[in-house]
Amino acid sequence: RAQERCGLASAASSTTMAHYLATYSAWVLLALAPSAALAYSYTLPPAALQQLHTDGLCVVPRYIEPQLCEDLIEDMKMLREAGAFISSGVGSNDKRRQEGSIRTSHQCPLFPPPKPHLGNVAARRELYGLVDDLGYQLDSTARPLHRPLNLELGYLHYPEGGHYGRHFDVPAHEVVDGRGRSVTQERRVSFLLYLNTGWSGKGYGGELRVHEPLDAAESAQRKALGHRGFNVEISSDPVRPIRADVEPEGGTLVCFYSDSVEHEVLVTHRERQCVVGWLRGPAPPVDLSAG
């Protein structure tokens, strides 16, 4: 586990943990040392794992304790003051763009990590550890993940009026790296950790609206269309039935399958913060005849 824990990396930035250790060695060795025990037990209930495997979605209230929520919000505030956040975009790679009618939020990537003298380092250390453990719990034969873990992780800040239109977390087209090579991996499991406590029942908005997941045939058709040049990441199809509206109550963990669960963030009526991440794994081959 120690070697794999030190293998956390960002596929989006192609930044390896080796570079991470070389740049921030003293801090990282402290943050991710195998002997450093987590301050809290982060265990997914078996029923939640079963729900994810059967329904493509699970919601786990009180996954993290209120104190860590407060500490991570403090970290976000300090990083925002240091200029570490940028406006969130729409699309991927060279097609990424700013489009406020679809998405209004700000983000701070956590791989590569913020500079070690910024923010609440202890809280971020706890976050890295719990995400590492989460990856091990979410790995399955149905949705295999890379070993060592390969992930994207970041903070999201929604201002008052922030939102994100219907979309999928996996682009329905072949991704090519900077050298023109096809990327054989994709986002497999998406997860959100909400940080604002005292949100439920207040009418603050900002719910995660989850639509009925695609079945295997529909997912294959979507990817086949994507390979033919259609933009099917941002949804324009008829609205699928709503599976759930999840209130972003602090401490709640939401996990869903990245390539099949269409979702959106409803307009928030006050600022809210969360952690967002994607666990990556091998991309299945695309059946171009499906479209």
Side-chain angles (χ1 to χ4, degrees):
R1 289 289 299 275
Q3 290 179 337
E4 290 189 349
R5 182 183 293 272
C6 288
L8 287 168
S10 166
S13 64
S14 300
T15 301
T16 65
M17 185 56 77
H19 174 70
Y20 184 72
L21 286 170
T23 309
Y24 304 110
S25 58
W27 177 75
V28 172
L29 289 174
L30 171 65
L32 299 182
S35 60
L38 294 174
Y40 189 79
S41 177
Y42 305 100
T43 304
L44 282 171
L49 284 170
Q50 183 60 41
Q51 184 184 31
L52 177 64
H53 296 328
T54 57
D55 299 339
L57 166 74
C58 70
V59 180
V60 184
R62 297 179 296 278
Y63 187 73
I64 63 174
E65 73 279 19
Q67 185 59 58
L68 182 57
C69 290
E70 293 180 15
D71 292 344
L72 292 173
I73 287 177
E74 178 188 44
D75 187 38
M76 291 182 67
K77 180 180 179 181
M78 297 170 76
L79 291 173
R80 287 180 62 207
E81 291 172 349
F85 277 72
I86 60 173
S87 294
S88 302
V90 174
S92 58
N93 296 339
D94 59 333
K95 297 182 180 180
R96 196 162 187 82
R97 63 196 186 278
Q98 302 295 320
E99 197 160 337
S101 63
I102 296 175
R103 187 180 191 187
T104 302
S105 64
H106 302 90
Q107 62 189 38
C108 174
L110 295 177
F111 285 115
K115 294 181 180 179
H117 66 275
L118 296 177
N120 186 330
V121 175
R124 218 177 307 142
R125 176 177 58 209
E126 185 78 5
L127 175 63
Y128 287 136
L130 78 87
V131 168
D132 188 31
D133 281 355
L134 179 64
Y136 281 93
Q137 296 178 74
L138 291 176
D139 192 19
S140 71
T141 54
R143 294 272 167 156
L145 304 176
H146 277 302
R147 288 288 178 264
L149 286 179
N150 194 314
L151 62 88
E152 300 166 68
L153 186 68
Y155 285 137
L156 271 182
H157 170 260
Y158 283 89
E160 183 175 350
H163 65 283
Y164 195 174
R166 287 191 298 135
H167 66 283
F168 292 90
D169 281 351
V170 175
H173 55 79
E174 189 173 36
V175 178
V176 178
D177 68 11
R179 297 182 181 179
R181 300 171 300 186
S182 296
V183 176
T184 57
Q185 59 177 305
E186 68 179 13
R187 293 171 175 175
R188 302 293 278 159
V189 181
S190 304
F191 64 90
L192 293 157
L193 276 169
Y194 294 119
L195 302 179
N196 299 96
T197 57
W199 195 278
S200 293
K202 299 292 180 61
Y204 295 152
E207 295 89 351
L208 176 72
R209 173 161 290 176
V210 181
H211 296 268
E212 287 291 337
L214 304 177
D215 60 29
E218 291 171 324
S219 182
Q221 182 182 45
R222 174 180 168 268
K223 290 187 177 182
L225 288 171
H227 273 258
R228 294 176 182 174
F230 292 91
N231 179 11
V232 288
E233 180 179 4
I234 303 301
S235 301
S236 59
D237 294 335
V239 179
R240 298 177 67 83
I242 297 171
R243 165 65 65 87
D245 281 346
V246 181
E247 278 196 310
E249 173 62 37
T252 299
L253 169 71
V254 181
C255 302
F256 55 89
Y257 288 151
S258 306
D259 62 345
S260 60
V261 176
E262 185 182 39
H263 56 287
E264 58 188 299
V265 177
L266 305 185
V267 175
T268 180
H269 305 304
R270 64 181 300 176
E271 285 186 306
R272 78 166 178 83
Q273 291 86 14
C274 67
V275 175
V276 61
W278 299 272
L279 295 161
R280 302 178 70 93
V286 175
D287 179 6
L288 294 179
S289 67

